[in-house]
Amino acid sequence: MITETSKNPLGQKPTGTLLRQFAIPSIIAMLVSSLYNIVDQFFIGQSVGPLGNAATNIAFPLTISCIAIALLFGIGGASSFNIAMGQGEPREAVRYMANAAVMLFGCGIFLCIVTQIFLEPLLRFFGSPADVLEYAKTYTRITALGFPFLILTSGGGHLVRADGRPKISMACNLSGAIINTFLDALFVFGFHWGIAGAAYATIIGQIFSGSLILWYLAHCQSVSIKREHLRLKKKSVKRIAALGAAPCSNQLSMMIVQIVMNNSLKHYGALSSYGEAIPIACAGIITKINQVFMSFIIGISQGVQPIISFNYGAEKYDRVKKAYLQAISAGFVLALGAFFLFQFAPRQIISIFGDGSEEYFRFAVNYFRIFLFFTFLNCMQPITSNFFTAIGKPKRGMFLSLTRQILFLLPLLLILPLIFGIDGLMYAGPIADFAAGMVAIILIVKELCREEYQ
């Protein structure tokens, strides 16, 4: 046991080398997921305008729901699979993988059916203004058909990585994004299909990526999935869901905040000079741009996790501390770069996604600069949250993962607009970011000051 541990590269290679090795594929996978939304925003903004961009933002809570399901059964299934394989139980491992894949696809079908049946009530609940509703219905009715494949691609990528093939997982995601980009240009600018063209391009890319995941799962390198493994077992599904609950809950909290934000932007926008649609359109674009930046941060947090976990278990606390500090340093450099970009080039960024009135650009610039003012602290919460999960303290990790969205941002979104109107929604962002960053700093300093890290 000691010999095997000492030979493991996680305990021997320089932590900086390991961080690059593990983080880069994770970053690319996260960027690909963000690319789907950004590409649609670009083409819809150029062809339809602000109302089209507002429509995609109204539909965004459903996308977050898909990602939540993907994390619940994807990360949960991958963790269950790896643990069982490590314990020398390949029969249990293959059942976890197969059951996770069935739940991913099955939940996608269920969400698609629910969306089609309750489409208009859902979109109104998500905060759709009257002049945006038809665009949102057109876009969502089509993209909902791709939910099973979107969930399978996002969650199945974790299963493929668990089988030891991170490059294949990355290729599955990347191929769909490339197809989506090419077809967006063809359908929107070539065929002039507008927002429907962007939606069709999205689901075709998702179907292609999902099909590649299905093909791979039928040809795993470490196990062989048979038909009997696809039958759901309550014990297996319960185990999978338990291990995937933390990342899923974080996504669900984001969905709740997104719905509240959309409705607040609609309500307080109507009371301002901007109107209902402009704030929703601008906030949607800026949220998805910020997701690109967060893809780097989350990729780093995912990449450092196995390094921290192994070395903490091996009681190599100096390597644990060093890996965390390297990860947080890389995250801070990226966050600082994003801060300067968001503060000094907001109009240039927003102009990429189409033209608009002067009121449109005024709100977008203000939202960029105010809501994302503490972007340079936004590396603290996700990396530190993952750190606590990695060292076997999931309660602290869960607490940190919910601080920004649920403990700080959600109450501020409800309270500040009562005092400051629509500007209160902008101020809620930096206050929540600052508070979440400070909590993360306090907890990590307290942890790293413990005797074993000295």
Side-chain angles (χ1 to χ4, degrees), residues 32-298:
V32 168
S33 297
S34 299
L35 186 62
Y36 272 103
N37 295 316
I38 290 292
V39 166
D40 276 0
Q41 291 280 184
F42 171 78
F43 286 104
I44 291 170
Q46 293 291 338
S47 63
V48 180
L51 293 181
N53 279 329
T56 63
N57 193 37
I58 292 300
F60 197 52
L62 289 170
T63 302
I64 298 175
S65 299
C66 291
I67 301 303
I69 295 169
L71 293 175
L72 179 65
F73 297 109
I75 289 182
S79 300
S80 301
F81 173 83
N82 286 139
I83 290 170
M85 289 295 286
Q87 293 172 338
E89 298 178 354
R91 292 183 180 179
E92 285 298 313
V94 69
R95 189 172 299 281
Y96 285 131
M97 180 173 282
N99 275 213
V102 171
M103 290 302 298
L104 288 167
F105 199 74
C107 287
I109 293 173
F110 177 77
L111 185 60
C112 172
I113 293 171
V114 169
T115 302
Q116 298 290 354
I117 295 174
F118 301 105
L119 180 61
E120 186 167 329
L122 280 171
L123 295 176
R124 291 187 183 277
F125 176 68
F126 294 157
S128 178
D131 54 352
V132 175
L133 184 60
E134 287 305 314
Y135 289 108
K137 285 168 66 176
T138 299
Y139 183 79
T140 310
R141 184 177 286 112
I142 297 169
T143 54
L145 299 175
F147 285 171
F149 296 94
L150 169 59
I151 293 172
L152 183 64
T153 300
S154 300
H158 295 288
L159 301 178
V160 174
R161 280 194 294 272
D163 194 43
R165 306 300 292 271
K167 291 183 179 179
I168 290 181
S169 174
M170 182 178 66
C172 290
N173 282 275
L174 191 58
S175 60
I178 292 171
I179 289 171
N180 177 40
T181 304
F182 172 77
L183 293 181
D184 259 327
L186 178 64
F187 293 166
V188 176
F189 291 156
F191 297 165
H192 304 289
W193 289 354
I195 198 167
Y200 282 122
T202 296
I203 65 169
I204 291 172
Q206 291 167 351
I207 290 170
F208 184 84
S209 291
S211 299
L212 290 180
I213 292 289
L214 282 174
W215 177 86
Y216 181 83
L217 292 177
H219 303 82
C220 291
Q221 69 169 358
S222 57
V223 295
S224 180
I225 297 177
K226 306 296 183 182
R227 182 173 295 180
E228 61 266 22
H229 300 139
L230 299 175
R231 287 195 292 269
L232 296 178
K233 295 291 185 180
K234 183 178 179 180
K235 182 180 178 182
S236 299
V237 173
K238 187 176 179 180
R239 168 72 168 169
I240 291 167
L243 292 179
C248 174
S249 64
N250 188 41
Q251 287 293 316
L252 292 176
S253 68
M254 289 176 58
M255 182 184 71
I256 294 168
V257 168
Q258 184 70 41
I259 293 170
V260 172
M261 175 66 91
N262 284 348
N263 281 281
S264 298
L265 289 166
K266 174 186 173 183
H267 175 74
Y268 292 103
L271 300 177
S272 71
S273 61
Y274 302 113
E276 292 182 337
I278 284 177
I280 293 176
C282 294
I285 294 171
I286 292 165
T287 296
K288 289 164 188 174
I289 292 169
N290 189 47
Q291 273 195 324
V292 174
F293 154 64
M294 290 305 295
S295 295
F296 287 91
I297 302 302
I298 294 171

Side-chain angles (χ1 to χ4, degrees), residues 332 335 374-382 433-438 441:
F332 182 73
F374 279 113
T375 292
F376 59 88
L377 284 179
N378 282 351
C379 60
M380 288 301 307
Q381 185 225 21
D433 288 340
F434 179 78
M438 289 300 102
I441 289 171

